[in-house]
Amino acid sequence: MARIAFILLCHKDPKGIIAQARRLTATGDYVAIHFDARANPKDFEEIRQALLDNPGVVLANRRWKCGWGEWSLVGATLDTARAALEAFPQATHFYMLSGDCMPIKSAQYAHGFLDAEDCDYIENFDFFESDWIKTGFKEERLIYRHWFNERTRSKLFYASYELQKRFKITREVPSDIQVMIGSQWWCLRRQSLEKVIAFCDSRPDVVRFFSTTWIPDETFFQTIVPHVVPKKELRARTLTYLIFTDYGMPVTFYNDHYDLLMGQNYLFARKISPEAIRLRERLGALWAASGVHFPISNEATGLFRFMTGRGRIGRRFAPRFWEVDGSLGRQNALRLVVAKKWHVAKRLTEAIRRHTDIPAVDYLFNEVEAHLPDLGGVETTVSKREHHRRALLKLLFEQFESNRLVICLDPSALHLIQDLCSDKADTRVLLIDSHFDDAYLRGHIRRVGLAGSETSAEVVERLIPTVRADLEHEAERLRDADLDALQSIAPWRPADDNAAQLAQFLDVTPEMAHQILAAEHLFSD
């Protein structure tokens, strides 16, 4: 059975650290503690005295003064890992934790999870090719030397960087390693950690290189582990659940997040608020529990993104730089069918294709299959279409040999709608209004990933009013956008009114509009 040695990096809350160590060792696991040398010496002494007689606890031989973005965090981890390897010969896995982490599964579940597959868990994405780094320094992290802490000595940090940049004082990455990047919260098997330590002892040049990179805790282990462990034995994920805000700060969890956290496919979570006393008590008791069933839903990240995104004006469909001067042409007529219920819009475009000679495609910026012709490859992925949307639409006009085109868009894509309406082409919008009953909303919540198959009905019911308001708000935003040509149809309006709106939208006769709208079950869910 797996026995875990937790490598615990901490700098505050001695009582919480003591409780964490006692809790984790009570189930037969181990804890190796590094307490920041910058912290209060009295706090460290309190920890040392309280855990002195616990055979499952060891303290790192050296206490580093740790700083964000510095090598000191990696140095502290390495020294603590060495202490754990020596002190706990029966440990099979070594799991990185911080003082803000708490278990969201039982020890019984965690041991079974690790026993189920002989592998290591560590994020390891290509440093240069992946988009793991969203903003700020990228290559600069490696090719320049960083001796100063960016947060506490920012003037020296940036002065050093500017001097190296000005005089082109750069360096090469060690030629025989591929730099990888990922979260610092990993879980490695004993033999893998021993290989990492052996590599460090035999390759001081690599250690020296990383010791002056910026934020090496995101690259050092992530690079060395794939270098010494076969790829088939690696899982590029962390077992510690954490979410980051748009500002790069970790999301903090509180007392009402217990059920949500239990449903995530992770063993621990970070960060748990110090004020969330009840949550800490429940999670602490959970670690020692047995026979607990954990229905995995993984809805937390989707819920967070949804809730924080509400009311925000996105920039997803802002014009790309190569499209600023582009135009679809004054001679072309573009018609935008905007509907939240995609099946209704697709029935309408199918009827338009059947009854008229107007080319009509479906949600070409959302779905791969959208009734598109062969366009030489630009249509093969949704991302390609979005990146080259004006070029794509021009190609469609040419391919269909028509100066008219109907496409479907989701009302959430307001900036795309506004962007296309500002084009020189004759662009009109048809909004298909909808009523969102509870049954539809339950399905929508699951379709967009806000809830999984294991999500409780109670959680889904709590989401329904919020999601309904959000969908209704999307339609209101479209109406408030003051578009020059906006028509709308709805299932509750008289057939003649809908036909008049559609006729104006498509430039067809009212009789033809009636035929199109007579499509079977057009508005049905």
Side-chain angles (χ1 to χ4, degrees):
M1 183 184 77
R3 297 188 71 178
I4 308 169
F6 293 97
I7 299 171
L8 184 57
L9 300 189
C10 45
H11 65 279
K12 61 181 180 180
D13 189 20
K15 289 183 171 54
I17 299 305
I18 294 166
Q20 179 86 306
R22 288 173 173 165
R23 178 188 310 116
L24 296 175
T25 56
T27 54
D29 294 303
Y30 310 99
V31 178
I33 299 175
H34 178 275
F35 197 72
D36 197 332
R38 298 182 189 274
N40 190 330
K42 292 182 179 179
D43 290 345
F44 175 71
E45 187 60 24
E46 181 180 351
I47 293 171
R48 194 184 70 82
Q49 289 293 336
L51 300 174
L52 190 63
D53 297 329
N54 190 327
V57 175
V58 67
L59 302 179
N61 295 325
R62 175 185 174 184
R63 292 176 59 206
W64 290 67
K65 292 183 178 179
C66 296
W68 183 86
E70 293 181 8
W71 171 256
S72 53
L73 287 171
V74 178
T77 304
L78 284 170
D79 281 354
T80 311
R82 290 177 187 271
L85 283 167
E86 181 180 351
F88 310 126
Q90 292 181 302
T92 61
H93 293 76
F94 294 77
Y95 193 127
M96 274 281 294
L97 282 182
S98 77
D100 294 321
C101 296
M102 288 289 290
I104 57 174
K105 298 291 185 293
S106 64
Q108 182 184 62
Y109 181 97
H111 295 153
F113 183 95
L114 295 176
D115 281 334
E117 192 171 8
D118 188 21
C119 63
D120 300 312
Y121 296 91
I122 180 168
E123 287 189 347
N124 55 103
F125 306 106
D126 188 278
F127 184 90
F128 296 100
E129 298 299 327
S130 72
D131 63 349
W132 203 86
I133 298 174
K134 302 297 184 185
T135 59
F137 285 177
K138 188 169 185 176
E139 184 183 29
E140 295 88 346
R141 293 191 184 195
L142 306 179
I143 65 173
Y144 299 113
R145 294 168 177 84
H146 302 278
W147 294 286
F148 306 103
N149 186 290
E150 189 264 347
R151 293 187 175 181
T152 60
R153 306 174 75 184
S154 60
K155 289 184 178 179
L156 287 172
F157 177 90
Y158 287 105
S160 169
Y161 162 69
E162 291 295 340
L163 283 172
Q164 293 178 77
K165 183 179 178 182
R166 179 183 303 175
F167 293 105
K168 300 181 179 179
I169 305 173
T170 60
R171 59 179 176 175
E172 297 292 330
V173 175
S175 60
D176 62 331
I177 65 170
Q178 178 184 7
V179 179
M180 311 295 278
I181 192 167
S183 168
Q184 72 179 104
W185 310 110
W186 43 255
C187 177
L188 303 179
R189 296 164 298 170
R190 183 179 197 90
Q191 64 267 31
S192 300
L193 185 56
E194 288 174 339
K195 289 178 181 178
V196 170
I197 298 298
F199 179 89
C200 293
D201 292 339
S202 65
R203 293 293 302 273
D205 59 315
V206 176
V207 174
R208 188 164 53 250
F209 170 80
F210 278 101
S211 68
T212 51
T213 59
W214 192 45
I215 322 181
D217 55 296
E218 293 180 350
T219 54
F220 182 75
F221 288 98
Q222 297 79 358
T223 298
I224 306 307
V225 173
H227 190 78
V228 299
V229 176
K231 184 177 181 179
K232 65 181 180 180
E233 298 177 18
L234 297 178
R235 301 295 175 267
R237 58 160 297 190
T238 175
L239 296 181
T240 298
Y241 182 65
L242 66 163
I243 315 176
F244 286 96
T245 68
D246 291 346
Y247 303 99
M249 300 299 292
V251 172
T252 301
F253 299 106
Y254 295 92
N255 287 333
D256 55 348
H257 289 133
Y258 178 79
D259 291 329
L260 200 68
L261 291 174
M262 281 184 62
Q264 305 315 298
N265 190 24
Y266 296 84
L267 304 183
F268 283 75
R270 182 179 187 272
K271 306 171 62 167
I272 308 300
S273 170
E275 288 78 33
I277 305 300
R278 178 56 180 155
L279 178 60
R280 287 178 171 272
E281 289 175 350
R282 296 179 74 185
L283 293 178
L286 179 65
W287 180 252
S290 60
V292 180
H293 174 62
F294 295 94
I296 304 300
S297 61
N298 275 337
E299 78 269 24
T301 303
L303 289 174
F304 173 76
R305 298 299 177 207
F306 172 72
M307 296 303 294
T308 56
R310 289 186 68 237
R312 191 177 292 173
I313 303 298
R315 297 293 298 169
R316 179 180 175 190
F317 295 107
R320 306 302 199 254
F321 68 90
W322 61 76
E323 296 178 344
V324 172
D325 295 325
S327 171
L328 300 178
R330 295 183 188 277
Q331 75 280 8
N332 289 324
L334 181 65
R335 300 294 182 256
L336 311 179
V337 175
V338 180
K340 196 67 188 181
K341 293 187 176 180
W342 292 8
H343 55 282
V344 177
K346 291 177 183 180
R347 289 176 192 145
L348 182 63
T349 53
E350 197 279 328
I352 292 172
R353 289 190 292 268
R354 187 169 65 252
H355 292 287
T356 76
D357 61 354
I358 303 173
V361 299
D362 298 334
Y363 287 85
L364 72 170
F365 296 115
N366 300 95
E367 295 183 307
V368 174
E369 178 53 54
H371 280 93
L372 292 175
D374 183 359
L375 297 174
V378 72
E379 82 286 358
T380 54
T381 68
V382 172
S383 61
K384 278 187 179 181
R385 299 174 197 170
E386 184 186 328
H387 289 166
H388 306 286
R389 58 175 179 267
R390 272 188 171 76
L392 172 65
L393 294 173
K394 288 180 181 179
L395 281 174
L396 287 174
F397 281 116
E398 294 175 6
Q399 187 70 16
F400 286 121
E401 297 182 350
S402 172
N403 67 341
R404 295 193 292 175
L405 177 66
V406 177
I407 69 173
C408 298
L409 295 175
D410 191 276
S412 64
L414 179 61
H415 276 278
L416 175 55
I417 296 166
Q418 291 175 313
D419 178 36
L420 294 175
C421 286
S422 67
D423 194 272
K424 294 176 183 178
D426 173 18
T427 306
R428 300 178 193 175
V429 179
L430 177 71
L431 173 65
I432 302 180
D433 270 319
S434 299
H435 171 68
F436 304 108
D437 61 23
D438 287 0
Y440 173 83
L441 291 171
R442 291 188 192 99
H444 178 75
I445 286 168
R446 298 188 186 281
R447 283 191 296 273
V448 301
L450 292 177
S453 59
E454 299 292 341
T455 304
S456 69
E458 182 183 0
V459 171
V460 174
E461 293 303 312
R462 286 204 305 267
L463 284 173
I464 285 176
T466 303
V467 174
R468 176 182 284 111
D470 193 69
L471 298 187
E472 292 172 348
H473 177 63
E474 288 179 352
E476 288 304 312
R477 285 175 59 205
L478 186 61
R479 293 189 181 91
D480 293 341
D482 196 26
L483 302 176
D484 290 337
L486 174 65
Q487 279 81 42
S488 65
I489 60 175
W492 55 82
R493 291 181 185 156
D496 287 345
D497 289 354
N498 283 338
Q501 291 285 305
L502 184 63
Q504 188 174 355
F505 172 70
L506 290 176
D507 277 331
V508 297
T509 65
E511 292 75 19
M512 176 61 70
H514 272 290
Q515 287 186 43
I516 295 171
L517 291 171
E520 190 174 6
H521 308 302
L522 177 63
F523 293 109
S524 300
D525 287 336

